[in-house]
Amino acid sequence: MYPILFRCALVAAAAVLLSLAGRAAAQPDPKDKDKEEPAGAGVKTEMKKVLAKAEEEYRIFFKKPVEVPEFWAAIKFEIQVGKFDVAALHLDQMLKRIDKLREKLEEDKKSPQGAYADLLAIEEVEGLSSFLRLAQVRRWSNNPTLQKEAQKNVESLIDRVTHALNEYLSDPVRITKFIKNLEAATPEERSFAFAQLYRSRGRASPYLLKELRRTAGTLAQQRLLDLMVKLDPDIVPPLLEALNARDAKDAADADLRLALLELIRRRGDKHAIPYLWSLSSAAKYPPLVRSRAKETLAYLLETDVERLPPAKVALTQLAEDLYQHRVKFRDPRRVLVWRWQEDYTIKPKPDEFSASDYEEIYGQRYARQALELDPNYRPAQLVLLNLTLERAYEGKLDQFTSGKTLPAIDQLLVTINSELLLQMLERAMSEHHLALILPALKALGDRGEVRAARPPQNGNAGALVRALYYPDRRVQYAAVAALLRLPGEPVPVAGNRVVDILRRFLTTTATPKALVISTPAAKAGEMRKLVKAVGFEPVLVPTAKDALAQLRRSADIDLILLDAAVPENELPYALAQLRNDQDAGLLPLLLITPSKGELRLNSRDLARYRNVSLLPEAFLTDATELKSRLEEAIKFAAVPDSVARADVRQAWLKENVRKSKGQQLSAGERKQFADESLDALWRMASGLTKGYDVRAAIPEVVDLLRNDDTALPAIAILATLPGAEPQQRLAALVLDPARGKLQVTAATALNRHVQKNGLALNANQIRLLRDRYGAPGVSPTLRAQLAVFVGGLRGSAAQTGARLYRFNPDPPAGKQ
């Protein structure tokens, strides 16, 4: 009996001690600061004893756990002996116990954070890693339901501990109290306060900064700096934002920045380097601050002050590194940034940015700081313009065809220096950066910049002329649109290319197409079904030569599938031809690799070609997975070279691929390109736009006659073109009784064409038109146009007499 009573007393004492320890750790009372800090270290010691006794109790007597420490001791013991299912049960019951404590606190209108006091006390003794180790247990139970529940409970426990610990260590009352106690009377209080601030790490920085400002110029500030040098390195990043002044008043505060510079130098923290360039050179900062910042920079860079590069150059390079995605991030989806607020304090909690948002914000900041030092510095102007356009249009390439470009950006581009705009376009095309190329082309057209359309000189043509041969459909069309808005006659070398691009867009269909090359005949039917199942219209061709011919016919191919069945020795040549094609060189190309056997081309060979990726044959059996791979390839095909690098690709894909439109044209873009191309060709053919020969587009215009929606403008174009084919196509339309009112329009156009270019119909068509003129049931309007045609034929005197003899005019009204 006595041992049982003893154990009960021991457990009760442990529970009391644990409760006291938890409350001391989680809810410090500022009123008891003189008593709490000296005993603070003792609380941790007592907690160790409590946990040891609780574990001993459970190990020896298997007492049923009731409180959180008892559950924790039971969980650890059961894991040690391999009873993971029992440990999972204790974990579930422990979480329910915590939930009850939380509900009780909420009923009593107290902070629910108190429910986690025991967990925080355990964490202070054993560390957070003791909780994180639970996530390493792979199997808690053989029962799938219990296994899933246990994993969910582990995640919940870790989330609760992490959140409670963060709230506790971020508590401003707690941190402020320990900062004050750094000046306490006893060494024990000062030591304990320092240890607690060390645990808070960067969370204490905003409050340490306030104290630095409050104690400026005093011995207390120097003592605080001495202690801050010894704190965790995480305290530095939040402080750095204070170096960047918000306004002139803030910039004049020399004491705070001198103190921070001393701290940075003593800690040797190189994270501060980007913040020091502007501080070392901008005229808004006091001379002493600029001088000290230069000395700190030289110390961190291990060089002499005289050998430091100009600040504008260093700042521009920082911006360039962010623009080129060269900066590495631990987690690209979660980059922490502390804000320097209007009241000249650091925001207690950091803002979370994605890597791309961080690159935009800080890249633009560094570029603006460089321009603040030298507004004429062209590299800084260029990188700032690039960052601005990239953020405005990245992943939104279809805005240029939908008319939804940003007015503010449009106005900026038509007002900046044209040399900068041309330089930006040249660089963007070399880097395959569509989000920069498209707005630049539009701006050059809006400005009427004729220099961009200069003919080739010494092998170097104007940017607009070169853009006509850039292997991207949006770029080609944007270049055509810009050239057609320029004053004066077109550049001779560009005229035929403009018509060729418009011709290819005429036959663009609403359904995206996939060009499939070299599929074996036995697999052709299966491949067609698979490609249709993933949303593309298949176009199968036997060779790369046939593929190139198909690509030149139309601009509605969105991706290329190259089967590995192509002979191995021909594969490199096929790839080279397809990647160097002026119309399709940047379309995504997926090389289907065999499931058995090896492909002789390795990753190094493929790396020479842009937008080429391997597609294992196994993916052809799963339409869902295949569609995902194809869509990813299409979207990634539109990224700039800086993203296409292997070290950036995966991070970009995770963050941006779902937002990107990629190379694939939307249904709206396809229709718009086709409609506007038809209108542009009509204006050229009718003489409203001079200097272009549209005869190369006759086959595509003829194809448009089949569709009633496009037949009228096609008739108008054919009526202006010389030659036999346009005239014969118009005659065929007149003779087609199924075309209704279009026959009258075609007959009118035919008459004009004959009068302007002479008769070019064959004998059979002439005979049929004559017969049609005399046939019954022909509408009066059509018969009138046929009469004009027949009358235009040079008949003999006898034929004329016969017509007069047979003519029987209608009697006057009322005289029948």
Side-chain angles (χ1 to χ4, degrees), residues 704-713 715 730 733-749 782:
L704 298 179
L705 293 175
R706 300 190 183 98
N707 189 331
D708 288 349
D709 293 335
T710 57
L712 286 176
I715 291 171
L730 291 172
L733 187 57
V734 174
L735 293 169
D736 187 354
R739 301 311 296 270
K741 294 181 179 180
L742 285 174
Q743 291 177 282
V744 178
T745 305
T748 304
L782 177 56

Side-chain angles (χ1 to χ4, degrees), residues 234-245:
D234 279 2
I235 71 161
V236 176
L239 300 174
L240 297 178
E241 278 297 314
L243 295 173
N244 186 45

Side-chain angles (χ1 to χ4, degrees), residues 121 124 134 396 596 809:
E124 185 156 5
L134 295 179
K396 306 170 186 175
K596 295 182 180 180

Side-chain angles (χ1 to χ4, degrees), residues 356-430:
S356 60
D357 289 338
Y358 181 92
E359 290 166 344
E360 174 198 5
I361 294 170
Y362 281 82
Q364 290 184 348
R365 173 196 280 190
Y366 297 141
R368 287 194 174 96
Q369 288 176 342
L371 291 176
E372 183 181 13
L373 300 176
D374 183 1
N376 297 318
Y377 191 48
R378 179 59 61 83
Q381 294 174 352
L382 182 61
V383 71
L384 180 56
L385 181 60
N386 289 346
L387 284 163
T388 301
L389 292 177
E390 181 182 62
R391 187 55 53 211
Y393 291 122
E394 188 176 44
K396 306 170 186 175
L397 302 179
D398 57 341
Q399 288 189 356
F400 295 94
T401 52
S402 62
K404 296 180 180 178
T405 56
L406 303 175
I409 297 291
D410 292 341
Q411 293 171 16
L412 172 67
L413 293 179
V414 298
T415 55
I416 63 174
N417 183 279
S418 59
E419 293 293 339
L420 175 62
L421 185 60
L422 288 169
Q423 184 179 351
M424 185 268 286
L425 178 57
E426 297 281 355
R427 176 177 172 179
M429 286 198 290
S430 67

Side-chain angles (χ1 to χ4, degrees), residues 223-273:
R223 287 197 295 267
L224 179 60
L225 284 172
D226 292 340
L227 290 170
M228 290 176 70
V229 171
K230 302 174 185 177
L231 288 175
D232 189 273
D234 279 2
I235 71 161
V236 176
L239 300 174
L240 297 178
E241 278 297 314
L243 295 173
N244 186 45
R246 291 189 61 90
D247 50 41
K249 177 183 176 182
D250 185 16
D253 187 354
D255 291 333
L256 176 63
R257 288 180 175 81
L258 290 173
L260 290 175
L261 288 170
E262 180 182 347
L263 175 66
I264 291 166
R265 181 182 179 119
R266 292 176 64 181
R267 294 191 66 111
D269 198 319
K270 295 188 177 183
H271 291 95
I273 291 175

